Each structure stands twice: as structure tokens, then as C-alpha cells.
Amino acid sequence: MVLVLALGDLHIPHRAADLPPKFKSMLVPGKIQHIICTGNLCIKVLFVGELLLSKFQTIDWLWKLTHEVQDYLKTLCPDLHIARGEYDEEIRYPETKTLTIGQFKLGLCHGHQVIPWGDLDSLAMLQRQLDVDILVTGHTHQFTAYKHEGGVVINPGSATGAYSSITYDVNPSFVLMDIDGLRVVVYVYELIDGEVKVDKIDFKKTTTATHSAH
């Protein structure tokens, strides 16, 4: 059994101060083997004269905060994979990434590149391009999970409940994937009216065929 934490669209500090305390109390070191993050840890700096210094303190402060978020995630699990969101300043984050965990090949992308945003057919096209069993994307800040074309497409939502360009009505959420052999159970944790609600979907691979090389 392998536990994979999927989260993203934190937008700390400009749209949210931090992860909800109830989430932080649940996410403890030593329990999770991999973390995949859809990006937008911290929003892009906008240079507007003196407003930058008065509102955001200094550029060094903002960079420090961005890396504090990344370092916090690494305290939960050192195996951290991050895709670059449109507001991430860290250019070392890739646009897309693939990794293999057990019998599953996972693909990671923020999702702002996929038009229309959150469109299942467009996401399925990306899933085929990356040649993955499980595609994890963000950007819409709304949790979704679909069994589609022999695979799974997951959006863990916004872990902080940050608003998006699509909606201001966002419940904080994240996903835990329990991968065991050819089976993965996707648990979604969503903070609704101060209480953490949990739902799940169960997916089993029907073949162990290897993916084509890229």
C-alpha cells in the first residue's frame, strides 16, 4: 500500500493565509510516501511602483514565503513533485511531469494550459498525450474525479479554499490516493461548514500492459 497526497492551488499568502488547521492536523509526517502538487503555491509578484513594497514587503520576503510552503510539504514527505502554475515564480517547476508509482503511471499538470478549463474531453486528450493511467490537474479550484477511457482524471481542488478566476465559492479540499497493486482508492477530504467530509472512488486497472515510450 502506497499513500499519495495530491493538492494544489494554495495561493499563499495573497488569497489564503495557510492551510486550514483541521487539514494540517490530519497531514502528519511519516504517513505519506509521495506528494504531487498541481502548483500555484504562491501568486505572481505584480510590479506596481511602491505598492509592491508596501503590500508585499519585499521580493525576498515573497520568495522566502514561497519556499516555506514548499519546505512545509517536504516535512510531510520528501518525495515532492510540483507542476508550475501560471502564478508560480519558480521556473524550475515543470509544466507537466510523469511518474510511476507501483503499477500506475501518473501525470501532473496545473491545468491552466488545458482549454476549456476543466473540460473532460480536453483533459482526456492530455492524459493520452502523457500516456498515463491517472491524470492530476488543478486550476479550477473545484474537486473532481472521473473514471474515463480506462483511466482516472482527478482535480484535488484548492487545499486552502482560495478563490479562482471561475468562482469565489470554494471549499478547501485535497486528495489521498491509496495505491495497492492494480487498485487505487481516491479519497477526497473537503472542509464544509467547518467539518471535514470524506468521499471516495475506487478504480482498478484492467491491464498491466506497459505504456509506450516517449
Side-chain angles (χ1 to χ4, degrees):
M1 183 183 76
V2 179
L3 284 180
V4 182
L5 171 64
L7 79 174
D9 289 307
L10 283 74
H11 289 279
I12 296 173
H14 304 133
R15 300 188 190 181
D18 201 353
L19 288 169
K22 288 193 175 183
F23 281 2
K24 295 190 84 169
S25 68
M26 296 170 63
L27 299 173
V28 295
K31 302 292 186 182
I32 298 162
Q33 285 73 53
H34 307 274
I35 299 177
I36 54 178
C37 178
T38 60
N40 276 351
L41 275 70
C42 190
I43 76 166
K44 188 177 290 183
V45 181
L46 299 176
F47 291 89
V48 191
E50 295 301 318
L51 179 62
L52 173 68
L53 297 180
S54 62
K55 186 174 181 180
F56 300 137
Q57 307 298 319
T58 65
I59 298 173
D60 289 340
W61 171 81
L62 192 62
W63 272 93
K64 181 174 182 290
L65 187 57
T66 303
H67 286 89
E68 282 180 358
V69 176
Q70 180 177 305
D71 291 344
Y72 162 71
L73 294 176
K74 283 188 174 180
T75 66
L76 301 178
C77 172
D79 190 64
L80 172 64
H81 306 272
I82 304 173
R84 188 180 183 190
E86 78 272 41
Y87 292 114
D88 284 319
E89 293 286 351
E90 179 54 85
I91 61 174
R92 289 175 295 181
Y93 298 157
E95 291 283 322
T96 62
K97 185 168 188 175
T98 61
L99 62 153
T100 300
I101 300 176
Q103 299 292 325
F104 289 87
K105 187 175 179 183
L106 284 72
L108 180 62
C109 178
H110 176 251
H112 66 278
Q113 311 94 324
V114 180
I115 305 298
W117 294 334
D119 178 70
L120 182 57
D121 289 335
S122 299
L123 291 169
M125 185 180 299
L126 175 61
Q127 184 178 20
R128 290 191 296 271
Q129 289 172 352
L130 296 178
D131 194 22
V132 294
D133 303 302
I134 301 171
L135 176 67
V136 180
T137 66
H139 188 57
T140 66
H141 297 211
Q142 301 287 330
F143 164 75
T144 54
Y146 301 101
K147 298 177 184 179
H148 189 64
E149 296 184 359
V152 180
V153 177
I154 297 170
N155 185 329
S158 168
T160 59
Y163 67 86
S164 73
S165 56
I166 299 171
T167 180
Y168 277 78
D169 185 19
V170 178
N171 291 321
S173 62
F174 68 87
V175 160
L176 273 179
M177 288 181 279
D178 180 355
I179 296 176
D180 190 2
L182 295 176
R183 181 172 179 252
V184 57
V185 182
V186 179
Y187 297 92
V188 56
Y189 295 79
E190 191 170 12
L191 189 64
I192 302 174
D193 296 329
E195 297 297 326
V196 178
K197 309 293 184 182
V198 185
D199 203 354
K200 72 175 184 177
I201 67 167
D202 199 320
F203 173 73
K204 188 172 182 178
K205 283 183 68 171
T206 57
T207 177
T208 57
T210 56
H211 291 266
S212 59
H214 290 276

